[in-house]
Amino acid sequence: MEGSAEYILPTDTRYIGEMKDGMFHGEGTLFFPSGSRFDAIWKKGLVVKGKYTFNDGLQYEDKHWHYCDSYDRRFYTEICYGLKPSGISQLSNMDPPRRIPLGYYDCGDGFYNPTTRVIKDYRNRFLRNADDDEHEWIVRTCRKGWLPMPKQKS
């Protein structure tokens, strides 16, 4: 492929931009199924310079990144729209948070099934298989869809 192109990867990620010798080369954008995007300048398939934008408009900065770090734990929506009153917690950047299927984890770009180790996007399309490191991280840090608690007898 040469010149301007649109290329759809098996994950439904779409590239629109310039290509040379079948590789990303020049200006081009990757559009991810989650709604996020990566605008970049490419050279022979490698990124020279790029900017990642999450689906809510938050732009990742590799220098001076202060979103949800040890100094400022607020979600992006809290930065934009303010904190909730004391005693009302915001569990994720999406408020109210999306419902997680029972036994699954919300790992940020989809739901993770710890039994099959498969991550599917929020529209139930395959994203990837989790390796051991990602499995451990998800189980340790991500929200889980729990089984309902049995009702207490009074």
Side-chain angles (χ1 to χ4, degrees):
M1 290 187 270
E2 291 284 325
S4 295
E6 179 172 346
Y7 182 77
I8 301 173
L9 288 83
T11 60
D12 283 338
T13 297
R14 190 168 39 110
Y15 174 79
I16 297 177
E18 300 170 41
M19 295 189 81
K20 183 177 180 181
D21 295 328
M23 294 182 282
F24 302 164
H25 190 83
E27 292 184 17
T29 302
L30 286 168
F31 295 92
F32 299 96
S34 65
S36 59
R37 63 187 283 162
F38 184 65
D39 300 287
I41 297 172
W42 306 82
K43 186 173 183 178
K44 295 183 181 178
L46 301 174
V47 174
V48 174
K49 182 180 180 183
K51 177 177 65 175
Y52 185 84
T53 305
F54 294 90
N55 64 353
D56 61 4
L58 175 66
Q59 291 184 353
Y60 175 75
E61 298 173 25
D62 59 346
K63 295 183 177 108
H64 311 296
W65 178 251
H66 295 295
Y67 169 67
C68 224
D69 64 10
S70 60
Y71 300 107
D72 186 353
R73 303 293 299 167
R74 294 177 296 167
F75 291 107
Y76 183 60
T77 52
E78 292 174 313
I79 292 169
C80 292
Y81 305 111
L83 296 170
K84 295 194 170 299
S86 178
I88 301 174
S89 298
Q90 185 165 331
L91 300 174
S92 73
N93 191 50
M94 178 182 271
D95 190 45
R98 59 175 47 89
R99 290 189 59 223
I100 304 168
L102 295 179
Y104 285 63
Y105 292 83
D106 184 348
C107 59
D109 58 349
F111 295 124
Y112 174 63
N113 180 335
T115 305
T116 62
R117 292 193 171 203
V118 169
I119 299 168
K120 292 186 177 180
D121 71 11
Y122 297 119
R123 291 184 263 171
N124 204 33
R125 296 179 300 186
F126 176 84
L127 286 178
R128 64 186 175 280
N129 293 309
D131 62 16
D132 289 341
D133 290 337
E134 186 173 25
H135 169 81
E136 302 264 338
W137 181 84
I138 291 171
V139 170
R140 188 177 67 250
T141 62
C142 295
R143 291 188 322 112
K144 181 178 183 181
W146 296 100
L147 294 170
M149 296 292 291
K151 292 185 180 180
Q152 300 290 325
K153 292 182 181 180
S154 30

